[in-house]
Amino acid sequence: MSGESVRALLSSVRYEVLSAKATEDKVLAHVPRDIAVTVTASPVKGLEPTLGLATRLAAHGCRVVPHVPARLVRDEVHLKDVVDRLRGAGVDDVFVPAGDADPPAGPYDGALPLPRRLGELGSPFTRVGITGYPESHPLIHDDLTVQAMWDKRTHATYIVSNLCFDPRLLGDWVVRVRRRGVTLPLRVGVAGPVQRAKLLSMAARIGVGESTRFLTGHASWFLRFAAPGGYSPDRLLARSAEALTAPSAGVAGLHVFTFNQIAETERWRRALLDRSGG
């Protein structure tokens, strides 16, 4: 992988973090202010921890992208409260997955109705992200996930791919999305340099992309990942670089799953940039 390709992929990164007691201090200590931080939401804890952390980080001048899973929004009053709180904090970018609350907390049972409703409310956020699935979703056929992106394209401004460790699948997915006529910018989801044991325990507990079903549906994949030498973010980027930096790919940058190993992730990014001459 050329140094130019590395810099292209790392020039616009976002770090996904979990809402936990120490997260705020870790972000403030280790994440440069020009790197956006996305804050996940738990189907168990609800939206409040996400909103609280997002607004506190925004007050510190951080670029914050809270996750607002559709299934966690209770009703119209709740949605307007969420919008008002985030806009009042200066947040102009939200990520809207369907979420895994089962049953849904309110009337939104999928990711499409909520972005559509935000549009009806006057599009209060400049940017709205939706999910893409390079790996097969455990419960949804591949063609349907791509179709869903097409359906949501007029209500969103970018796509974030779920976590993927297979460079071939990742490249093929980007091509399929573009051939289907979906032109939204893509942010490619990759795991940072997290320890294997840490990633597996976190994935089992909270789920990759907010879904414990993801781990259940990809048990053999995670076992391959856990094998010695099974995963390196450097190697994944090296093998994916050509496909992801092609002009036709429309990749806007990386979405890095930190699993709250925030300092380690930023050290890895800086070291990789230094090695590439960035």
Side-chain angles (χ1 to χ4, degrees):
M1 178 172 57
S2 70
E4 183 178 353
S5 296
V6 172
R7 291 190 296 276
L9 291 174
L10 295 177
S11 62
S12 177
V13 301
R14 307 200 318 181
Y15 289 161
E16 180 171 303
V17 303
L18 313 169
S19 180
K21 186 175 181 180
T23 304
E24 182 177 352
D25 290 340
K26 288 182 179 181
V27 169
L28 295 177
H30 302 293
V31 180
R33 292 297 183 268
D34 62 339
I35 291 180
V37 175
T38 80
V39 183
T40 64
S42 163
V44 175
K45 297 178 181 179
L47 272 176
E48 189 56 39
T50 300
L51 299 177
L53 178 57
T55 54
R56 292 195 304 273
L57 289 175
H60 286 291
C62 298
R63 294 173 56 200
V64 187
V65 184
H67 292 208
V68 183
R71 287 171 168 258
L72 287 182
V73 177
R74 296 188 300 270
D75 51 32
E76 186 78 0
V77 172
H78 186 207
L79 176 59
K80 290 182 178 179
D81 177 64
V82 169
V83 170
D84 289 345
R85 288 179 64 182
L86 293 177
R87 290 303 299 137
V91 173
D92 66 354
D93 188 345
V94 293
F95 177 62
V96 184
D100 293 314
D102 189 13
Y108 303 106
D109 61 355
L112 174 58
L114 187 54
R116 177 188 292 149
R117 182 59 184 144
L118 289 174
E120 293 169 353
L121 292 174
S123 300
F125 302 105
T126 305
R127 290 176 288 279
V128 176
I130 57 175
T131 309
Y133 296 94
E135 295 273 0
S136 295
H137 191 285
L139 301 177
I140 309 173
H141 190 278
D142 289 349
D143 287 340
L144 293 180
T145 63
V146 176
Q147 179 65 41
M149 285 184 287
W150 171 261
D151 294 339
K152 290 180 283 190
R153 73 195 186 285
T154 59
H155 307 288
T157 60
Y158 64 92
I159 297 167
V160 177
S161 78
N162 210 331
L163 192 56
C164 182
F165 294 145
D166 187 322
R168 180 186 58 80
L169 285 177
L170 193 54
D172 289 348
W173 175 76
V174 171
V175 170
R176 287 184 62 219
V177 169
R178 296 314 187 202
R179 283 179 177 169
R180 193 64 170 267
V182 178
T183 60
L184 296 176
L186 300 177
R187 286 195 169 272
V188 174
V190 299
V194 64
Q195 297 174 358
R196 287 192 295 271
K198 173 82 168 178
L199 176 58
L200 290 171
S201 66
M202 296 281 289
R205 182 158 58 87
I206 65 155
V208 172
E210 305 172 20
S211 176
T212 54
R213 292 172 297 185
F214 188 92
L215 178 62
T216 302
H218 295 82
S220 62
W221 184 69
F222 271 93
L223 288 174
R224 293 198 305 272
F225 170 78
Y231 174 69
S232 160
D234 302 45
R235 186 165 61 246
L236 175 66
L237 293 181
R239 294 175 178 176
S240 307
E242 184 175 352
L244 300 184
T245 57
S248 60
V251 172
L254 300 180
H255 180 99
V256 182
F257 294 82
T258 70
F259 293 92
N260 274 18
Q261 294 197 284
I262 296 167
E264 297 87 343
T265 300
E266 176 59 11
R267 282 199 297 269
W268 162 77
R269 187 185 74 93
R270 289 305 325 171
L272 194 54
L273 278 172
D274 289 345
R275 290 199 303 272
S276 68

